[in-house]
Amino acid sequence: MVCYGLHPALTAHSCLSAGRKARFSLCKLRPALRADSGRSWTTKVACCAADESGSGTSNKFFLTTPLYYVNAAPHMGSAYTTIAADALTRYHRLRQKRVTFVTGTDEHGEKIAESARAKGMEPQQHCNGIVKSFKNLWEQLDIRYDAFIRTTEDKHQAVVNDILQRVDAQGDIYRANYEGWYCVGCEQYKDDGEMEGDHVCPLHKKPCVQRKEDNFFFRLSRYQKQIEELLENNPSFVQPASRRNEVLGWVRDGLRDFSISRAAVSWGFPMPQDSAQTVYVWFDALLGYASAILPPGVDASVQNLQQRGWPANVHLVGKDILRFHAVYWPGMLMSAGLPLPETIFAHGFLTKDGMKMGKSLGNILEPEPLVAAYGHDAVRFFFLKEVIFGQDGDFQEERFRNIVNAYLANTLGNLVNRCLGLLKKNCNSTFPADAASLDAEHPLRIATAAEVDKVAAAYEACALHEAAEGAMNVAVRANKFVDDRAPWTSFKKGSEEEKAEAGLVLLAALEAARIASVMLSPITPATSGRIAAQLGFSDDDPACSTWAGTAWGGLQKGQQVPTPKPVFARIECDFVTAPADKKAAKQAPVAA
Ligand code: MSP
């Protein structure tokens, strides 16, 4: 959708809301004057609403994770966002969309400079080391990103300079003195209401420091009305809904201009307006979402960005950085004349003893030992299934093991394994009929189809916990169906007709298992891959590698399956985290 000659007050919300109602129509709104500057607003601006024309934006899916600070190696909290992002983008790939999954690292600012200094290293050298540990972890977790941006890259600096100049040209940058309380951990000035006791940051539990500086400011207040309308007219702009209310509250309280340069921080890009100052780390980092998708030398024009999937369908963020994404970022984009994202989704925190797990507090859970002991699918599954996406969640190792064993080993794994075992013994490892030929009223077929719709809706809404739950429901039901029909009895002492019927029981159960496994594949890619292979499919067979494969009818008569091997082994190894976790887990038994 393209909006011609929009007043900034109309740009965001009008296009978005028009787009939601009439998905393909061009929104040709009349050129108007900027109320505040008197200058005409003639920039051609595009907005994000989806179209379904095929050539447009509906067939693409662009998702970002935050760009992670490289003050230290990643922990499970940072991995959580990335796992969720990977699952969502895998789902949209199954849907055969043109997916762009951006992640990366935020390498400038005081916090990073301090970490480097503490190690006696140059900031760049420090960043290079930590970036490796992020990339390694993403590999261990089987994260398939399309672009990894480091904010110290030259191509990123070019985008930052370009946007700063465009924002300046709109009259949105001015110089002023600022005095306030600064949290280095958050890289943010805090208002009185945002601090505890004696100016302590509630997130980092450290005192904020008083700062007085001559800075450049971004005129966010000029976008007050547009941002308020954007939020009011687009219920899905900030998700979940509870977060949207929080953001609306902040905006209605009145937006204040924010400082976008630092006089006392040398580790950052010099401000093009005055090289004695560096660009504020948040203004710098948010623009990484644009530079990530642009090759070096290609400028951040609307056209160049749109060709590469812009704007984001979803910016996935933790709730602590929602203000930057839901308030500052739209203001920056409006000023720069760039299309706005569709949704900012804020998830909750992984906690330990009720406190946000974080590098600054030192209460982190290391992902590597978990992945090494249990495999990436177990880790991905546990956090996505067990933590309601959008809310906080705690980790206890015993509960983790119980959940993974109950669902992946005992439910899905066992379903596949026992049915294939019976198929080998009684049907020569061959499906006796096409799954499509089973009665349209077959109870498992009907129940599975209903669950597929629910799971698709859950993925579309970023409700990953519901998607995982729905896929597992199919496997639970299939197990119960097998138990109820007891095909082993018919195979042993039934008539020929009963034996044939027992073969169809296995066929139906394995078809349901196939569909459950496709639905779960964004979350447990390796396990789903093993199930596909066990059912006799190659990796790229559409029955297992596209969402169309969730339709009933993938298993074919005569299809041979290999010798059954467990697709998910029960966890029986030693615990890998502190034993204290065991006690807590005893209070939380699991029934799958
Ligand atoms: N650098 C900024 C983001 C800039 S985006 C343009 C930043 N980095 S961060 O490393 O501190 O955090 C990155 C993400 O990790 C945030 O979404 C944050 O919420 C998430 N998490 C960090 N600790 C977390 C938990 N304990 N639990 C869940 N997510 C957490 O902010």
Side-chain angles (χ1 to χ4, degrees), residues 66-69 75 77 106 282 289 318 320 347 349-350 356-357:
L67 307 186
Y68 299 99
Y69 283 133
H75 55 85
D106 185 356
W282 268 100
Y289 298 145
D320 51 335
H347 64 71
F349 288 153
L350 299 189
K356 179 192 176 208
M357 183 190 294

Side-chain angles (χ1 to χ4, degrees), residues 258-275:
F258 65 95
S259 141
I260 56 163
S261 72
R262 294 290 180 270
V265 179
S266 60
W267 180 235
F269 292 138
M271 280 292 284
Q273 289 79 355
D274 175 359
S275 60

Side-chain angles (χ1 to χ4, degrees), residues 202-468:
L203 271 183
H204 294 96
K205 301 287 173 207
K206 281 189 187 152
C208 297
V209 280
Q210 195 159 29
R211 291 275 160 82
K212 189 177 176 183
E213 276 193 348
D214 159 39
N215 287 159
F216 288 96
F217 278 73
F218 172 64
R219 224 179 271 282
L220 182 67
S221 56
R222 184 180 266 180
Y223 298 92
Q224 167 81 40
K225 192 159 177 281
Q226 291 99 296
I227 296 176
E228 210 169 315
E229 287 174 345
L230 166 72
L231 286 156
E232 278 163 357
N233 298 337
N234 298 283
S236 58
F237 184 69
V238 173
Q239 291 182 35
S242 55
R243 296 278 163 219
R244 172 173 174 254
N245 296 335
E246 192 180 344
V247 176
L248 260 170
W250 297 333
V251 176
R252 285 180 182 148
D253 272 356
L255 295 181
R256 285 192 292 151
D257 300 345
F258 65 95
S259 141
I260 56 163
S261 72
R262 294 290 180 270
V265 179
S266 60
W267 180 235
F269 292 138
M271 280 292 284
Q273 289 79 355
D274 175 359
S275 60
Q277 302 234 356
T278 53
V279 180
Y280 171 45
V281 62
W282 268 100
F283 197 95
D284 167 343
L286 286 161
L287 292 170
Y289 298 145
S291 54
I293 57 171
L294 294 170
V298 173
D299 70 53
S301 68
V302 171
Q303 199 197 9
N304 286 337
L305 286 166
Q306 279 186 321
Q307 263 174 17
R308 293 163 178 87
W310 192 273
N313 295 78
V314 181
H315 287 304
L316 212 53
V317 300
K319 61 184 179 179
D320 51 335
I321 57 172
L322 182 57
R323 187 190 297 255
F324 295 103
H325 285 81
V327 183
Y328 290 17
W329 181 226
M332 289 166 60
L333 292 171
M334 285 171 186
S335 176
L338 292 178
L340 304 178
E342 204 169 303
T343 293
I344 316 289
F345 191 103
H347 64 71
F349 288 153
L350 299 189
T351 57
K352 249 191 160 181
D353 307 321
M355 298 283 287
K356 179 192 176 208
M357 183 190 294
K359 295 169 246 182
S360 314
L361 288 181
N363 59 347
I364 59 168
L365 173 68
E366 305 267 7
E368 287 86 353
L370 283 184
V371 178
Y374 304 120
H376 57 67
D377 274 13
V379 175
R380 295 168 63 111
F381 179 78
F382 174 80
F383 286 104
L384 297 185
K385 155 115 189 15
E386 280 305 293
V387 181
I388 296 176
F389 203 54
Q391 296 182 16
D392 292 354
D394 223 51
F395 173 85
Q396 294 142 1
E397 193 173 0
E398 188 162 335
R399 182 166 172 78
F400 164 89
R401 293 160 64 107
N402 290 345
I403 292 279
V404 171
N405 277 339
Y407 288 96
L408 293 183
N410 299 355
T411 302
L412 184 60
N414 191 37
L415 171 68
V416 173
N417 205 243
R418 68 176 174 146
C419 289
L420 286 178
L422 286 168
L423 197 76
K424 177 169 187 255
K425 199 162 158 203
N426 303 289
C427 308
N428 196 22
S429 287
T430 306
F431 298 123
D434 287 343
S437 70
L438 293 172
D439 187 356
E441 300 303 312
H442 193 291
L444 205 51
R445 184 170 180 167
I446 290 184
T448 302
E451 208 68 64
V452 168
D453 290 344
K454 284 194 214 149
V455 171
Y459 276 122
E460 296 288 341
C462 302
L464 289 160
H465 56 290
E466 280 176 20

